[in-house]
Every structure is written in C-alpha cells, then in structure tokens.
C-alpha cells in the first residue's frame, strides 16, 4: 500500500473490552504530514476502570486509487483514576462554551432522578459549572451543563446535545416537579412568588420536551438551575415555544450527525427583580439560543453549520420566531454575552458555522 499523502482524518476507538472498541473520539487538529503522532482527550469515563484503544487514520492509497481506513497493529490500555477525583468531566464536549475552572471537580449523586453530576468552581466565586447525566437505554449520557450564577439566582447559559436516538421518546407528566439542584449549595431561588400574576413563568433552558426518553431525563430539566424568569404570553408560549419545537424537529437520528445547543440570557440595561422568598431574582433583558449541527465521518467532524436567535424578554404576540428581527449569528451573541460558544469544535469549522444565519433552515 502506497500512503505517501497526509492522512485525511485520525481518531481513536476505545472501550472497556479489547474485543469491543465501540466508542470513538476524533483528533481535532489539522493533519499536514504523513508521519508524526496525534492525541485526543476523552471525557465521561468510568472511575478506576481499564480501557482499551486503537488508533485509526483515513489515508489515500495510491495503489488502489481511493481512501482507506487503517488501524494500529496493537491495542493500548490506560486506567482511569479512582472515584472522587474529577478532571473536567464532560467539559471537553463540543457544545460546551469556554469556561475557566479552578481546582478539581466534585462528583455527586442524586438517585431520585438517576443524576450523577459533576460540579466545578470557576474563576468567579459566584459561578459554578455543573453537568447532569442520566441513563438512556444502557448508557449514561450527559443531560445538560449549566453555568449557574448565584448572584443572578439563575444560569447564564445551559449547553446540551440533541439526538433523536439518545434523547427521543414520549414520556410526559402532568406534575410540576420543580426542585433545587442538589449540585448547587447556594444562590438558588426556590420558586418565584406570584410570578405568573405579573406575567412571568419559569422559562426552561433545556426544554422538558427535549428530554422525553424517560422520567429521570425529563425531571432533571425541572431543576431551578435550568430556568430564569421569562415573559409567558406571546413569548414563552409563543415565539420561544415555536423555536424550541423547530429545534426538536431538527434533532438528528443519523449516527453521523449531532445537534448542539446553547441557551442563555443577557442582562442589559436596568434590571427588574421578582421575589423568591427572601431573595430577589433579576429578570433577564433577553433570551438567546445558539444552534450548531455537526456531521462526522470515521469519528472526525467533517462539517458544521449554525445560526442563532435572540429575543427581548417581553410579549411578541403576532410575530414569528424566525423573523429578521430575531435571527442572528452565533458570533454576534458571543460579543454581547462575553462567552466563546462551541469552543471545542475545530476552529476551521467553528469560524464559518458561527457566522451563519440560515444554514440550518430552522
């Protein structure tokens, strides 16, 4: 086989058995040479567990005149740390915005909602990053990651993946299972006093309709760290709901595609508050949603497209969710929010996707 050209893709396959390397992780850098080494960071592994892996590359075979996949001749192994030591858990996933964490994380469990969570301190003492996970089928998956601000008593953003085969389902409930997030020790509001009488409701960041695979996934979206005061009539029940349903319909079922979403709020200008017991919860001036669809081949991301929506936190009765007043770029929201979204997507794909406004046709 003649493989003088630089590989087109590189990735690792890994698993807990040498005979079942069913998980993959791509190499996210550029490949410019036919020789050298590559590496990739893996997250969400079991503690104190031996993993097996092989390296793979897609190369041009001049003899056959086509691209072929080749694998390393031997299987490597590594063993994860013991329970209680957390090193950035799921923060390397594609949908996670860039965030500066400090120290090692804390891992905890809330069995009533099948929740294994990971919490991290950040460079701001009032802000914590928490990833909630849940079982889907026989696999533990990330439900969503919240960037919670104790001063705002609400998240600044929540990031999560969408995939019909992992999160799709029909579970629903007539109950109102709102409760405190067990991973956050301070700053949570415990329900807004008389909010609906002045027009507001608890606006989900990760919508309950996105997590109908089972009761636990659904109930985890009812933590107080996954909502902020949102105008109800003509917004939460109007254009915002229409946008959520459009994103749900776009949730892919193909193994080669994934949809990633970041929902957040802005506090621009004078901020009003609503009472929640002894605290006062600021009302966001805007809600936004950034969406990126990514496609993969042989474990490597090959394409990415994106668009974003932003709305003032007020009634939009009679308006459509995707009017020119609401559709914008991910870049534009990054500038206003002060965050680098989708930071783990390869730069060559991220730059173009974050400048798009209609590539997804949502």
């Amino acid at each position: 086989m003649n493989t003088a050209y630089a590989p087109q893709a590189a990735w690792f396959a890994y698993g807990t058995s040498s005979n079942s390397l069913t998980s993959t992780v791509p190499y996210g850098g550029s490949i410019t040479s036919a020789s050298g080494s590559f590496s990739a960071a893996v997250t969400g592994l079991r503690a104190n567990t031996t993993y097996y892996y092989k390296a793979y590359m897609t190369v041009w075979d001049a003899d056959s005149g086509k691209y072929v996949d080749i694998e390393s001749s031997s299987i490597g192994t590594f063993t994860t740390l013991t329970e209680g030591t957390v090193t950035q858990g799921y923060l390397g996933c594609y949908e996670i915005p860039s965030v500066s964490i400090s120290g090692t994380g804390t891992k905890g469990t809330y069995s009533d909602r099948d929740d294994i969570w990971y919490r991290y301190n950040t460079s701001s003492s009032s802000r914590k990053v928490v990833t909630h996970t849940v079982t889907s089928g026989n696999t533990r998956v990330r439900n969503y990651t919240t960037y919670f601000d104790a001063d705002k008593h609400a998240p600044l953003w929540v990031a999560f993946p969408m995939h019909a085969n992992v999160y799709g389902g029909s579970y629903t409930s007539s109950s109102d299972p709102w409760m405190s997030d067990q991973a956050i020790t301070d700053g949570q509001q415990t329900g807004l006093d008389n909010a609906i009488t002045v027009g507001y409701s608890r606006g989900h960041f990760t919508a309950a309709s996105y997590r109908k695979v089972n009761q636990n996934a659904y109930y985890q979206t009812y933590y107080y760290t996954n909502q902020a005061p949102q105008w109800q009539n003509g917004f939460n029940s109007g254009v915002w709901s229409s946008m959520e349903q459009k994103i749900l319909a776009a949730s892919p079922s193909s193994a080669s595609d994934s949809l990633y979403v970041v929902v957040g709020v802005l506090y621009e200008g004078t901020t009003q508050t609503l009472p929640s017991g002894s605290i006062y919860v600021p009302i966001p001036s805007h809600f936004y949603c950034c969406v990126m669809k990514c496609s993969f081949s042989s474990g490597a991301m090959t394409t990415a497209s994106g668009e974003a929506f932003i709305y003032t936190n007020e009634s939009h009765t009679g308006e459509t969710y995707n009017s020119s007043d609401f559709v914008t770029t991910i870049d534009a929201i990054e500038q206003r929010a002060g965050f680098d979204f989708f930071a783990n997507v390869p730069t060559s794909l991220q730059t173009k996707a974050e400048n798009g406004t209609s590539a997804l046709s949502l």
Side-chain angles (χ1 to χ4, degrees), residues 45 86 89-90 106-108 116-120 129-131 133:
L45 303 179
V86 182
Y90 292 81
T106 301
K107 180 180 180 180
I116 298 177
W117 51 261
Y118 302 83
R119 183 185 67 232
Y120 308 90
V129 180
V130 175
T131 296
T133 71

Side-chain angles (χ1 to χ4, degrees), residues 71-82:
E71 63 182 56
S72 56
S73 59
S74 60
I75 296 179
T77 65
F78 63 90
T79 301
T80 55
L81 299 175
T82 57

Side-chain angles (χ1 to χ4, degrees), residues 250 252 257-260 291-295 301 303-306 353 360:
D257 296 320
S258 285
L259 194 67
Y260 301 109
V291 187
M292 187 177 292
K293 184 177 182 179
C294 302
S295 297
M301 187 182 296
T303 63
S305 55
L360 300 180

